[in-house]
Amino acid sequence: MTKTPADSASWQPETLAAQALGWVDPVTGGLGPVLQPSTTFERAGDLSFPHGRVYARGGSPAPEQAEALLTQLEGGADAMLFASGMAAATAVFQTLSPGDHVILPKVMYWALRNWVLSFAAKWGIAVDLVDMGLTAAVEAALRPGKTRLVWLESPANPLWTICDIAGIAAAARRAGARVVVDSTVATPVLTQPIALGADLVMHSATKYLNGHSDVVAGALVTARADAEWEALKGIRTNQGAVLGAFEAWLLLRGMRTLYPRVHHASQSALEIALRMQRHPRVSHVLYPGLPGFAGHALAARQMKGGFGGMLSLRIGGGTEAAVAVAAGTRIWKRATSLGGVESLLEHRASVEGPTSPIPGDLLRLSVGLESPADLADDLEAALDRPQGR
């Protein structure tokens, strides 16, 4: 176990992240986080557990440093790491009972949307799909006494819709519902949903929290360590959805550079969005940092220090033209995921399939740490290249 400086509670979040809460290994004085891979722990002669641990599935020291850091960065009461973002997200829905009602965004992370609809149909849970950019639509969909959960993404993948977290949280609270915010894209660098009234924050930690495209992980952060939080802990333990020791160590390694990475990606994304607005073959640029974007004013109030590293382009000429542009890039890599050091480009409609609500002319861009000028030049070259070449 490592020790933490007594005054670290007063540090700014950038300092907390860079120093991983200031932990130092008390045995060696090492500044790098210690990797503890043990899956089982010794009992005392009287068969008690003096270290408070039995078996890694129910509680391992490996993720504790990353969980404690994430708790601090999000301003929560506790955090849990999971084996994937889907494991974290689906655990929340597994706390529901037959007859409960939930509200989801119309456009959200596709794999989770499909899972929830399938799970809800089998489990007798009512689901409404709502435009979360319209707080009044969420208020209208709430069923006091029946709605248990309102799930938000902000910015929402891949149209980057901004939700009024505070407004929706207040309405949900009056109806007796919890609000969970998927804050994967914003990260605690740009938005702290708990401070805006959310009950839980979810992250696909695979993305920005890790930031190096080499770990699959998920996280939940709670505003309160209450009975519902304990139920979530039980689900993680019973399903074995724990994060491995090496993955937890890599995740903490990535979190130490979270702030400079997110700030760089946000600045670059804005620069690229402004250039793409001027290109005649781009019909729409979807990015919260643009003054003409529908949710810009709300994003400016809700997001601090930037608007994120994700944007989408709608290409004139439809699906065929968008696919041709994706095929023509050299620096942007055609791959699924986001939040890594390398810039990624994806044609979402073809990934999601024929029932996807995403327009066929849309390309989703995850801006990495490369030169924004190089990235914009690469896109412009692909846009200017004659189709079919």
Side-chain angles (χ1 to χ4, degrees):
M1 190 52 90
T2 50
K3 61 182 180 180
T4 306
D7 62 346
S8 64
S10 66
W11 295 354
Q12 293 298 308
E14 293 91 337
T15 304
L16 291 171
Q19 294 214 0
L21 293 180
W23 276 300
V24 177
D25 180 11
V27 176
T28 67
L31 301 183
V34 176
L35 174 60
Q36 170 50 267
S38 184
T39 59
T40 191
F41 305 91
E42 186 181 32
R43 296 188 185 213
D46 62 0
L47 302 184
S48 65
F49 290 92
H51 302 290
R53 305 182 193 284
V54 179
Y55 187 64
R57 181 164 56 85
S60 164
E64 287 180 354
Q65 287 181 250
E67 289 172 340
L69 176 56
L70 186 56
T71 299
Q72 289 265 31
L73 297 182
E74 286 287 8
D78 198 7
M80 275 193 289
L81 294 181
F82 287 75
S84 68
M86 279 293 287
T90 56
V92 175
F93 289 93
Q94 290 174 65
T95 64
L96 299 171
S97 300
D100 287 343
H101 172 243
V102 301
I103 299 175
L104 300 180
K106 281 185 177 179
V107 178
M108 60 180 291
Y109 176 50
W110 188 245
L112 180 60
R113 180 183 188 268
N114 287 350
W115 181 90
V116 173
L117 293 177
S118 174
F119 172 79
K122 294 176 182 177
W123 202 242
I125 295 168
V127 178
D128 277 329
L129 300 173
V130 174
D131 181 353
M132 293 291 186
L134 303 174
T135 304
V138 181
E139 292 175 333
L142 286 165
R143 305 178 192 175
K146 297 290 288 183
T147 305
R148 285 279 313 282
L149 187 66
V150 180
W151 185 276
L152 309 179
E153 284 186 29
S154 191
N157 182 8
L159 303 182
W160 315 121
T161 304
I162 303 297
C163 305
D164 181 358
I165 297 173
I168 292 173
R173 192 176 304 110
R174 292 191 294 270
R178 289 186 298 159
V179 168
V180 185
V181 178
D182 179 344
S183 198
T184 297
V185 171
T187 78
V189 177
L190 305 178
T191 305
Q192 290 186 311
I194 288 173
L196 297 171
D199 298 287
L200 289 170
V201 181
M202 176 267 172
H203 290 278
S204 174
T206 307
K207 313 304 193 297
Y208 284 102
L209 293 185
N210 169 253
H212 292 78
S213 303
D214 56 8
V215 170
V216 174
L220 292 175
V221 186
T222 184
R224 296 169 301 281
D226 54 14
E228 291 178 327
W229 182 246
E230 291 302 314
L232 281 167
K233 284 186 174 181
I235 289 170
R236 184 183 68 166
T237 297
N238 293 334
Q239 295 191 342
V242 295
L243 189 63
F246 184 58
E247 289 77 10
W249 184 85
L250 283 174
L251 176 60
L252 183 60
R253 180 277 320 263
M255 289 174 67
R256 296 178 74 171
T257 62
L258 176 64
Y259 280 78
R261 286 189 289 102
V262 170
H263 285 312
H264 180 92
S266 296
Q267 293 164 6
S268 296
L270 178 59
E271 182 176 327
I272 293 165
L274 289 169
R275 278 186 62 175
M276 292 301 102
Q277 274 194 316
R278 300 193 293 268
H279 199 284
R281 288 198 60 206
V282 177
S283 62
H284 297 86
V285 179
L286 305 179
Y287 184 64
L290 295 175
F293 186 77
H296 174 72
L298 176 57
R301 296 196 304 271
Q302 194 166 271
M303 302 178 77
K304 307 300 182 183
F307 297 93
M310 299 299 300
L311 67 150
S312 293
L313 307 179
R314 296 189 65 177
I315 308 301
T319 300
E320 184 177 349
V323 172
V325 170
T329 59
R330 299 292 181 265
I331 299 175
W332 297 84
K333 305 306 180 189
R334 293 173 294 277
T336 293
S337 199
L338 54 96
V341 296
E342 63 283 301
S343 292
L344 305 180
L345 176 151
E346 189 168 47
H347 183 252
R348 284 302 300 172
S350 63
V351 171
E352 295 182 4
T355 60
S356 170
I358 306 307
D361 62 359
L362 184 141
L363 297 176
R364 187 186 78 177
L365 280 60
S366 171
V367 179
L369 301 188
E370 306 91 343
S371 159
D374 285 347
L375 293 171
D377 288 347
D378 190 37
L379 285 171
E380 288 182 346
L383 287 161
D384 293 339
R385 188 172 291 116
Q387 292 187 38
R389 295 188 183 182

